[in-house]
Amino acid sequence: MAARRISCLLSRSLTARPASSALFHRGGKASLSRGISRYSTAAAVDDPIKSPVQVNYSQLLINGQFVDAVSGKTFTTLDPRTGDVIAHVAEGDSEDVDRAVSAARKAFDEGPWPKMAAYERSKILLKFADLLEKHNDEIAALETWDNGKPYEQAAQIEVPMFTRLFRYYAGWADKIHGLTVPADGAHHVQTLHEPIGVAGQIIPWNFPLLMFAWKVGPALACGNTIVLKTAEQTPLSALYAAKLLHEAGLPSGVLNVISGFGPTAGASLASHMEVDKLAFTGSTDTGKVVLQLAAKSNLKPVTLELGGKSPFIVCEDADVDKAVELAHFALFFNQGQCCCAGSRTYVHEKVYDEFLEKAKARALKRVVGDPFKGGIEQGPQVDSDQFEKILRYIRSGVESGATLETGGERLGTKGYYIQPTVFSNVKDDMLIAKDEIFGPVQSILKFDDLDEVIRRSNASRYGLAAGVFTQNIDTANTLTRALRVGSVWINCFDVFDAAIPFGGYKMSGHGREKGIYSLSNYLQVKAVVTPLKNPAWL
């Protein structure tokens, strides 16, 4: 399957896809009247399809070999459709991190990767991309089984983008270079861009493959070695991808993968004295801990891609039908489990009532079910903890006085499915408007003018992203410059091209992922100064 640009796939048609009644029978009322509409507990969520793939890799990957944890311990990774066990995965601990860091250190100090010609590194990354393309459907099925995201999303959007990212970074490998710098005097000055060393990387569970690419791609292109810790909820796809990367020719010890838990394996990696750089994607609270551990150990530099509570601003001139569809996508994509989700939907008072009724109707049409079924828009949440957290926030919204327009309950009797939920009459001081819920819960707020919505949008500890829906270029320009966020999408959302940088302001993190900016995370800059004797020119 040819890799397709995620920008084309994610900024898809704003026309709602018709739901198939065979896949999801919507019980109750589908009218625009106020009140909670009840969803049926469809067989689509209670009778899961058998996974089309098997788990072949569940051990740690250290120094090019799949090995058991030193302790011999394992943990279970679960199918979010049912809560049943998929596999028993090796549980890495501090001793395993030590082994992995030792392998990475030797591969950096003595091994071929940083000494290899950049063009040769590029060829290995390109061969890896070819293998990803060949195994697209198998990788997508593994990701769906372990994570719960729709198979069509994984197969048509995420794995192709995964492949595209590695081709992008393969292209950078032989284009990383320094400068010749003019000096005031008879000196030749040059800068060298050198790999930073052993990179520790910790990735989250919501986009396991894409976060693997965002971290591993630039680190390898720059000539570093890596110890990658996967999320305990979703360890399987990274192990499979790492196996393919070695099949493409990656030398032993260059990429090591540890599955395990944050307080043990993650903390050990963050505080390890032989790790030269740390990259983390996850919650803001955990990011604080990671930063403290890095500082207290060897003061290693840290890049953080953390939480968000992104505003999605619908202006008074909006085409309401298109705005509803885009706002729906901005919030509900990936079961709402997206750090940059448009989770504060600010709607101008002139179009608020119309928008609300249509947003509610769109949520009722959302097709929820087994993610392996065709046409499914929403699968289960990743695990029981996330499932319960989202339901607690929904209860909080009701208790704080917001109006529950639709949804708000579990769907089915198995697994971690939640009804697409819409709240109206949401106030800025409510928890559902302040906290990162990370679930299919849309909060719709009313605003009067631009100054007000700018102030309210910026009154958040987060600053990851924002969406703006308007037909007025002046309005768009005003909001683009006023919003204190790392990404602003105008009349689109979640456009993630490989070259577009991504990262946050404020408590949404430090540094940028993707694009040219990501390379600086994995490079040291060295100035070299040499006296010139009788130079012909300066």
Side-chain angles (χ1 to χ4, degrees), residues 16 79 142 283 319 336 461 486:
D79 183 343
L142 194 62
S283 72
D319 179 319
R461 62 184 180 273

Side-chain angles (χ1 to χ4, degrees), residues 310-321:
S310 300
F312 184 96
I313 300 170
V314 179
C315 298
E316 61 182 304
D317 63 348
D319 179 319
V320 173
D321 290 333

Side-chain angles (χ1 to χ4, degrees), residues 119 138 188 334 356 518:
Y119 179 57
E138 186 176 358
H188 173 75
N334 204 51
L356 174 61
S518 65

Side-chain angles (χ1 to χ4, degrees), residues 512-533:
R512 292 296 180 268
E513 309 270 7
K514 300 193 290 112
I516 189 173
Y517 296 95
S518 65
L519 300 173
S520 62
N521 299 333
Y522 296 99
L523 293 168
Q524 293 277 27
V525 178
K526 178 183 288 182
V528 180
V529 182
T530 307
L532 292 172
K533 301 298 182 182

Side-chain angles (χ1 to χ4, degrees), residues 4 18 27 76 90 109 125 149 151 153 155 175-176 206 251 260 295 304 312 358 360-361 384 477 498 505 507 520 537:
R4 288 180 284 172
T76 56
D109 293 342
L125 296 179
K149 63 180 70 222
Y151 173 75
Q153 173 185 319
K175 300 172 185 66
I176 296 169
N206 58 332
L304 301 170
F312 184 96
K358 291 180 176 179
K360 173 183 172 181
S384 60
N477 284 336
Y505 286 24
M507 292 178 73
S520 62
W537 51 268

Side-chain angles (χ1 to χ4, degrees), residues 24-247:
F24 181 65
H25 174 70
R26 294 183 296 276
K29 300 177 180 179
S31 68
L32 300 184
S33 61
R34 293 291 177 93
I36 304 172
S37 296
R38 301 286 179 179
Y39 295 76
S40 70
T41 54
V45 300
D46 283 340
D47 297 319
I49 295 171
K50 183 180 178 181
S51 169
V53 292
Q54 294 181 335
V55 176
N56 295 318
Y57 307 101
S58 58
Q59 295 171 289
L60 311 177
L61 179 60
I62 299 177
N63 203 28
Q65 301 294 321
F66 283 104
V67 297
D68 292 330
V70 170
S71 67
K73 292 193 295 184
T74 63
F75 65 95
T76 56
T77 185
L78 305 178
D79 183 343
R81 301 174 302 162
T82 61
D84 295 340
V85 174
I86 296 174
H88 296 272
V89 181
E91 183 182 334
D93 209 328
S94 58
E95 291 181 272
D96 304 293
V97 171
D98 286 343
R99 287 196 293 165
V101 172
S102 270
R105 172 56 60 197
K106 184 175 182 181
F108 184 78
D109 293 342
E110 304 174 17
W113 192 250
K115 300 176 184 178
M116 186 183 294
Y119 179 57
E120 296 301 317
R121 291 202 301 266
S122 175
K123 289 198 294 185
I124 289 173
L125 296 179
L126 288 171
K127 185 176 180 182
F128 175 50
D130 291 340
L131 289 172
L132 292 173
E133 200 166 71
K134 177 181 177 181
H135 294 278
N136 184 97
D137 294 350
E138 186 176 358
I139 298 169
L142 194 62
E143 191 82 329
T144 290
W145 194 14
D146 207 19
N147 175 274
K149 63 180 70 222
Y151 173 75
E152 291 176 347
Q153 173 185 319
Q156 299 174 23
I157 297 177
E158 294 187 21
V159 181
M161 184 58 184
F162 185 58
T163 305
R164 174 69 179 91
L165 281 158
F166 273 96
R167 288 207 170 101
Y168 175 83
Y169 284 113
W172 267 116
D174 60 354
K175 300 172 185 66
I176 296 169
H177 53 77
L179 301 170
T180 300
V181 182
D184 294 337
H187 291 87
H188 173 75
V189 183
Q190 67 184 97
T191 60
L192 303 177
H193 289 184
E194 300 180 345
I196 201 165
V198 176
Q201 302 180 327
I202 302 173
I203 60 174
W205 49 258
N206 58 332
F207 292 99
L209 282 170
L210 291 180
M211 297 303 100
F212 179 107
W214 288 17
K215 299 287 189 291
V216 172
L220 290 183
C222 293
N224 298 279
T225 60
I226 300 166
V227 178
L228 177 81
K229 185 212 164 287
T230 59
E232 56 265 32
Q233 297 91 340
T234 54
L236 300 180
S237 58
L239 291 168
Y240 188 95
K243 176 260 181 187
L244 292 179
L245 191 42
H246 282 80
E247 186 178 326

